[in-house]
Amino acid sequence: LLFFFFFSDWITRALIFLVVSCPCALVISVPLSFFGGIGAASREGILIKGSNYFEALSKVRTVVFDKTGTLTKGNFAVTAIHPEEVSESELLDIAAAAESFSHHPIAESIISAHGKHIDKSRFGEVSEIPGLGVKAVIDGKTVFVGNSALMANSGAAWRDCEVIGTTVHVAVEDQYMGHIVISDEIKPDAKIAIAKLSAHDGTKIVMLTGDMKKVSEAVAGELSIDEVYSELLPDEKVAAIEKLLSEKPEKSTLAFVGDGINDAPVLSRADVGIAMGALGSDAAIEAADIVLMDDKPSKIARAVEISRKTMLLARENIVFSLSVKALVLVLGALGLANIWLAVFADVGVTVIAVLNSMRSLIVKRTSA
Ligand code: ADP
Ligand code: MG
């Protein structure tokens, strides 16, 4: 009889071990915290393509922005038209015709400033050169519309402009036709976004752009951006990201925010790629890990906030479940726990952890 009593005690202890060691609490609550985070983010128009990006996002210490379409509206107004040889309206006609196949913010602004019908039967081959501009064969002649680097390709002798703004040069074959100066506005919430992001642990804010130096520096000054790289071609953007990746603090991550086709390689190279969903090109949206549906830069600060909360909840659940289980296992081994305590350590802990993960659905705003 004594032997049997001894034996049943060990059976109970074995059962306690079996019940407690069930990993339900972890297996259910950890993914649930991430689902909650994805849900909270998507309600605010932030699309996160996978729960693995929460971890990367919560460790961001370097945020790199593209300028046009990301920090600025990409909604250019024509501020000056300086033709050479032709009239102002002829210059705008040529530029709008060449731009009519492009979806770049510059192209759309020139097309809407022109506002007239464009006869597409006059076109030959049309190509868009990322970071430079467009090249189109119209009535058998090659038309170049873009920045000074594109003019160097065409061989036209371009002239600089004293008006502050993005200068779009126009050349037909190697004949310089003049330029159109356009200017963009900074998005109203870009300033808040940068202030919020840089407030956290000395996060570094960088701007990369294909636009001219004087325009970029004016924007960077207004937004208090730490570092600016301008007049970059798409491959130079990748080189700049490589350099920034090698300089980032250890164990931290780098996020890149962009909108254009020329941003796609950089978006996939960064630890976290964020694209503008409305204005952004399909290539950028495809290459990104996170998409902002309303193009507001302040949503990046919000996404970082949500990711930090989500990671905290997931960690709380892991630590809480494992420590309760470890405690009950030790008590069980010493014969100090009964089967009810074991059931609590399994089902009870699962319920508490699940309730905790549901808090990720309600992430409070810190301010603004
Ligand atoms: P950002 O890096 O600021 O988003 P982009 O790389 O898209 O700017 O463009 C860089 C520069 O290339 C522009 O400032 C412009 O001078 C020129 N460019 C690019 N696409 C076009 C286009 N469709 N028409 C005219 N210029 C263009
Ligand atoms: Mg851009």
Side-chain angles (χ1 to χ4, degrees), residues 27 64 123 130 146 326:
V27 171
V64 186
F123 290 89

Side-chain angles (χ1 to χ4, degrees), residues 66-70 104-105 237 258-260 262-263:
D66 162 62
K67 181 182 73 70
T68 318
T70 304
H104 193 277
K237 278 194 178 180
D259 71 312
N262 58 333
D263 296 326

Side-chain angles (χ1 to χ4, degrees), residues 66-70 76 99 102-107 110 128-134 145-148 166-168 208-212 232 234 237 259-260 262-263:
D66 162 62
K67 181 182 73 70
T68 318
T70 304
F76 293 87
E99 295 279 18
S102 168
H103 295 289
H104 193 277
I106 292 180
I110 290 182
E128 178 152 20
I129 311 163
L132 293 181
V134 293
V145 180
N147 54 21
S148 52
T166 302
T167 314
V168 180
L208 300 187
T209 175
D211 204 353
M212 300 152 73
L232 299 176
K237 278 194 178 180
D259 71 312
N262 58 333
D263 296 326

Side-chain angles (χ1 to χ4, degrees), residues 313-336:
L313 286 175
R315 287 211 183 91
E316 272 173 14
N317 285 340
I318 295 171
V319 171
F320 171 70
S321 329
L322 289 184
S323 41
V324 172
K325 281 172 189 285
L327 184 72
V328 177
L329 282 180
V330 171
L331 292 178
L334 299 174
L336 298 172

Side-chain angles (χ1 to χ4, degrees), residues 53-97:
Y53 302 119
F54 280 116
E55 184 163 11
L57 200 57
S58 67
K59 292 192 209 146
V60 160
R61 290 289 178 285
T62 313
V63 184
V64 186
F65 287 93
D66 162 62
K67 181 182 73 70
T68 318
T70 304
L71 289 175
T72 64
K73 290 183 180 167
N75 194 354
F76 293 87
V78 172
T79 45
I81 302 181
H82 296 157
E84 256 12 32
E85 326 279 327
V86 287
S87 73
E88 287 195 6
S89 74
E90 276 170 319
L91 183 68
L92 196 56
D93 274 344
I94 303 171

